Amino acid sequence: MTTRKGTGQGGPSRRAMLTGTAKAVGVAAVFGLGLHTIVAGQATVKAAQALRPPGALADERDFLAACTRCGLCVRACPYDTLKLAGVADEAPIGTPFFTARDVPCEMCEDIPCVVACPTGALDHGLTDITKADMGVAVLIDRTTCLNMLGLRCDVCYRVCPLIDEAITLDMRPNTRTGVHAIFEPTVHPDACTGCGKCEKACVLPEAAAIKVLPREVALGSSAEHYRLGWEEKRKHGEALIQDTIDLPDRGYSPDHVESTPSGGLKGFKP
Amino acid sequence: MSTTPKNPAAGRDIVLPQDPARLAVAAKGRLRASKWLLLRRVSQALALVLFLTGPLLGVWIMRGTLASSEILGVVPFTDPLVFVQSLAAGHGLIATAWIGAALLVALYVVFGGRAFCSWVCPVNVLTDGAHRLRVRLGIKQGLQISRSARLWALAAVVAVSALAGSIAWEVVNPVTLLHRELVFGVVFTGSLAWMLIGGVVLFDIFAANRGWCGHLCPVGAAYGLIGTASLTRVSARARDACDQCMACYHVCPEPHVINPALKGGEGETPVILSRDCTNCGRCIDICHRDVFAFTHRFDHRTVEPANDTEPKSRPAAPAAAE
Ligand code: SF4
Ligand code: SF4
Ligand code: SF4
Ligand code: SF4
C-alpha cells in the first residue's frame, strides 16, 4: 500500500517502508504471543480431562499437532460416540472426545474412526481394538458402588467387552456382616481400553461410581525403585536368600487355615 | 504503480453512485449485473449444503469440515494452511493428508488461490455483508492496515504452531470455526465461536474497511500465496472501453489489484495477476461496458470495445482509494 506522498523521492518512502515493516513485525509478534497464550492454555488445561477416540496419539501435544479438528472420526463412528468439542467442553475446541457416561465406545472391531482419520492423529497402527488406550476405568467412589456395599450388582463387570481381563470381581470378607463377601470390581489397567461401557452401565442414578479417566490422571507411576520380593522369587525360581532360620510362630497352627494361591483365605466361604 | 489522475482536482467532484451497480443494471439488466455474485453465493451455499446432506438426509457427499474433508468417502482434501501448521508443529501426517493438501493446492492453482475466499469460505458472506452495511451507513473513517499485514499474521501463525507444537490457528480460526459450527450443528454451544465471528463482522463494519478478509486473515493470505500461480484470472481485456465510472473499484474487495491491469499502458498485460484478487468476478458483473472477463493468466490479448462508443470523457478519478 504505497501512499501517494511516499512515492516521491525514494528517501521518505524507504523510511516509511522500514518503519512500516518494523510496525508490522511488532504487531505480528504481539498477535503471535496472544495466540500462543491461548493455544498453550487450551492444550495444558484441557488435555488432562478429555477421553480421546481409540488410537489417539498418547501425548496430547502430539495429538494437537496432528488433529485438524475435521470431525471425520466423529462422522465415521456408527454409535455417535464421538463429538467435536465446543468451548465449554473438556477438550480443546473442535477436537474429538467422548463422554463415556453418555455414549461409550463400543469397541468396533474394524475401528472405523481410526480408519477415517486423514492425518494420523488417530494412529492407523492400531488394528486391534482391544489394544486401544482411551483411558482407564477407576472405581472412583467406593462408598456408593453397590458391590462395595456388599450387594451383587456386578453390572460394570458384566458389560465389559474384556470381562475377566480388564475387570474382575475380587472377593474379600464383608466385615460388616461377618459372613458375606464383598465382590470388589477391580480394573486391570494393562487390559482396560477405557471404552467406558462400565461407566455407562453403572446403575447409580447420576454420576457413576466407576469412571474412565485419562491414563495420566488415573494411574500413579509404578514403584520401579522397589524390588518386589515375590516377583524376584518367581523369576529366580526360589527365594533369593536361602537358609534363613524359620522360627516357629507362636499361637498359630497352619493346619486349620491354608493360604490359597491368590492369597485369599481358603477356609472362608461367602 | 498508480496512474496519476489527469485532473486531480476533479477527483473530489466525483460522486460515486450510491449504488455502484446502477449503470450496469441499466446496461445489461439486474440478472446479468449480478451473475457472478449469484453463482458465488450458490457455491458458498453448496460448501455448506454438501456437508449437511449427510447428517440431515443421510446422503453423504462431503464429510468433515473445511480443515479436512472427503468427497463421497473417496477423495480426501486437507486445507493447505492447516497442513503446513501440522508440519511446523512437528507431525509428519499420513499419506491421506499429503494427497488431500496436494489436491487442494492443485485445485486452487487452477481456479485461483483466493477463489477459496470468494467461492467457498463462509466468513466471506458475512464480511461482504459487513462491507455493504459500512457503505450504507456511510462510515468512512477506519484503521489503515497494510495489505501485507495478513502475511505477517500468516508467518506468526506458522511460528506459533512450531513453538506450541500444535496446530495453532485452528483454536481461533473464524473460517473453520464457523464452518464447523454450522456443519456439526453445535451452533448454540460455541459462544466463543460466535463472539469471534461477530467480532470480525463488527470490526469490518466499524473499524476498518474490508478489515478482516482484505488485510488480516491468514487463511486468505495462504490461499493468496497459492494464487501467485493461479491459472484462472480476470482480464480487463476491453479496457479501452472504460469510461472511468469507478464502479469496479467500488465493489472489488481488493481494489488495488485492478489498477495495473485496467490502467496498464500499451504492452502491459490486461490480466489481473495480483495474488490478492479473489476471482470473485464482481468487476465483471458491475462493469456496464463489459471490460472484464474470466480467462487464463497467459491470455494477454486486449479486445477492442464491443460497441462503437468512444470512452466517455468523464474526468479521471484518483486511483482506488481504500
Ligand atoms: S471404536 Fe467404534 S464406537 Fe468406538 S469411537 Fe471408534 S467408531 Fe466409535
Ligand atoms: S479424524 Fe483425525 S484429524 Fe479429524 S478430528 Fe478426528 S482425530 Fe482429528
Ligand atoms: S473401560 Fe470398563 S468396560 Fe471398558 S475395558 Fe475398561 S473396564 Fe472394561
Ligand atoms: S480472507 Fe479469510 S475469512 Fe476472508 S474469505 Fe478469505 S479465507 Fe475467508
Side-chain angles (χ1 to χ4, degrees):
Chain A
M1 206 176 53
T2 336
T3 55
R4 216 155 261 286
K5 261 181 257 155
T7 47
Q9 241 57 63
S13 76
R14 205 177 132 78
R15 184 177 309 144
M17 228 180 76
L18 284 177
T19 45
T21 309
K23 239 192 252 169
V25 173
V27 174
V30 172
F31 161 77
L33 275 176
L35 182 60
H36 189 273
T37 312
I38 299 175
V39 170
Q42 280 228 335
T44 47
V45 174
K46 292 193 159 182
Q49 309 166 28
L51 298 182
R52 294 293 190 199
L57 298 177
D59 185 337
E60 177 73 5
R61 223 181 116 115
D62 293 346
F63 183 76
L64 291 179
C67 173
T68 62
R69 317 185 184 207
C70 67
L72 281 169
C73 52
V74 174
R75 291 292 191 223
C77 176
Y79 299 98
D80 287 340
T81 300
L82 304 176
K83 296 220 155 37
L84 290 183
V87 186
D89 291 318
E90 56 260 44
I93 190 164
T95 57
F97 77 108
F98 70 100
T99 309
R101 189 66 165 159
D102 295 343
V103 193
C105 167
E106 296 289 338
M107 290 181 58
C108 312
E109 251 170 65
D110 50 348
I111 332 182
C113 48
V114 170
V115 175
C117 177
T119 61
L122 307 183
D123 184 0
H124 286 229
L126 180 76
T127 48
D128 175 0
I129 188 66
T130 64
K131 299 279 185 300
D133 180 12
M134 298 168 264
V136 181
V138 176
L139 184 64
I140 207 157
D141 191 349
R142 302 163 66 89
T143 61
T144 49
C145 169
L146 296 179
N147 268 36
M148 293 306 285
L149 293 174
L151 307 174
R152 289 302 300 269
C153 162
D154 296 0
V155 167
C156 54
Y157 165 75
R158 299 260 167 237
V159 297
C160 178
L162 299 174
I163 186 169
D164 287 328
E165 287 173 57
I167 189 167
T168 52
L169 291 177
D170 286 8
M171 192 168 72
R172 54 189 184 72
N174 182 341
T175 51
R176 181 178 57 83
T177 64
V179 288
H180 300 98
I182 283 174
F183 289 82
E184 177 178 350
T186 307
V187 178
H188 302 277
D190 294 346
C192 172
T193 62
C195 71
K197 293 207 62 155
C198 51
E199 181 178 339
K200 168 70 181 171
C202 177
V203 300
L204 296 185
E206 270 154 36
I210 190 165
K211 282 187 183 150
V212 180
L213 302 175
R215 199 159 274 259
E216 319 79 72
V217 179
L219 301 181
S221 42
S222 62
E224 268 150 16
H225 55 305
Y226 274 90
R227 294 249 195 127
L228 305 177
W230 58 95
E231 291 287 339
E232 299 300 330
K233 185 173 171 186
R234 188 181 48 78
K235 274 189 236 154
H236 194 66
E238 54 179 340
L240 293 173
I241 304 168
Q242 299 293 333
D243 305 324
T244 48
I245 306 159
D246 194 12
L247 295 173
D249 304 305
R250 226 180 307 160
Y252 173 71
S253 54
D255 309 346
H256 306 301
V257 191
E258 263 174 56
S259 264
T260 59
S262 69
L265 298 178
K266 202 179 186 179
F268 180 80
K269 290 251 158 37
Chain B
M1 156 203 138
S2 49
T3 41
T4 324
K6 283 166 209 143
N7 180 3
R12 247 173 282 124
D13 301 327
I14 294 185
V15 183
L16 283 170
Q18 190 58 52
D19 176 9
R22 194 175 44 100
L23 290 172
V25 170
K28 43 190 188 182
R30 190 156 282 285
L31 193 65
R32 261 195 70 216
S34 15
K35 172 176 151 194
W36 293 105
L37 180 64
L38 291 175
L39 286 175
R40 225 150 60 66
R41 293 292 180 243
V42 170
S43 161
Q44 283 164 325
L46 278 181
L48 289 173
V49 170
L50 296 185
F51 281 94
L52 278 171
T53 55
L56 296 184
L57 309 172
V59 184
W60 291 96
I61 303 170
M62 302 281 302
R63 266 177 224 258
T65 64
L66 292 180
S68 308
S69 56
E70 209 181 54
I71 307 182
L72 299 171
V74 192
V75 188
F77 285 141
T78 292
D79 179 83
L81 178 55
V82 172
F83 178 82
V84 167
Q85 288 179 85
S86 182
L87 286 183
H91 179 66
L93 293 141
I94 60 171
T96 318
W98 285 84
I99 297 170
L103 282 177
L104 269 197
V105 170
L107 199 79
Y108 284 108
V109 162
V110 172
F111 291 107
R114 294 199 64 206
F116 172 82
C117 296
S118 51
W119 293 80
V120 177
C121 181
V123 173
N124 171 274
V125 183
L126 301 179
T127 53
D128 272 0
H131 175 74
R132 280 186 97 123
L133 204 60
R134 185 183 166 87
V135 171
R136 184 145 312 162
L137 296 176
I139 302 171
K140 291 267 154 48
Q141 281 89 12
L143 293 171
Q144 293 296 314
I145 310 166
S146 160
R147 290 267 174 194
S148 58
R150 50 189 153 201
L151 291 173
W152 293 100
L154 174 61
V157 158
V158 176
V160 172
S161 294
L163 275 175
S166 133
I167 299 179
W169 190 235
E170 287 314 287
V171 176
V172 288
N173 184 0
V175 178
T176 42
L177 271 179
L178 179 58
H179 192 256
R180 192 163 57 226
E181 296 274 316
L182 294 172
V183 165
F184 276 84
V186 280
V187 176
F188 297 108
T189 64
S191 53
L192 172 78
W194 290 103
M195 272 169 61
L196 265 172
I197 291 153
V200 164
V201 171
L202 291 178
F203 181 75
D204 268 23
I205 299 176
F206 297 108
N209 187 32
R210 301 270 187 198
W212 182 254
C213 297
H215 300 82
L216 293 175
C217 174
V219 180
Y223 279 100
L225 290 181
I226 296 172
T228 315
S230 319
L231 230 46
T232 310
R233 293 275 66 159
V234 173
S235 169
R237 52 174 17 156
R239 61 188 172 195
D240 290 342
C242 170
D243 68 356
Q244 324 276 2
C245 80
M246 303 301 285
C248 53
Y249 290 101
H250 207 64
V251 295
C252 179
E254 305 275 345
H256 60 288
V257 309
I258 296 181
N259 238 8
L262 185 63
K263 306 291 178 185
E266 201 65 41
E268 287 173 54
T269 181
V271 180
I272 294 176
L273 289 173
S274 167
R275 62 165 185 249
D276 290 341
C277 170
T278 67
N279 275 3
C280 68
R282 193 73 186 119
C283 51
I284 306 177
D285 282 348
I286 214 74
C287 180
H288 67 123
R289 312 198 108 230
D290 282 334
V291 166
F292 300 93
F294 274 123
T295 179
H296 56 83
R297 68 182 296 119
F298 304 109
D299 176 13
H300 300 305
R301 286 170 302 155
T302 48
V303 296
E304 290 309 308
N307 14 20
D308 44 4
T309 40
E310 287 282 296
K312 297 246 171 62
S313 51
R314 279 162 180 260
E322 285 198 26

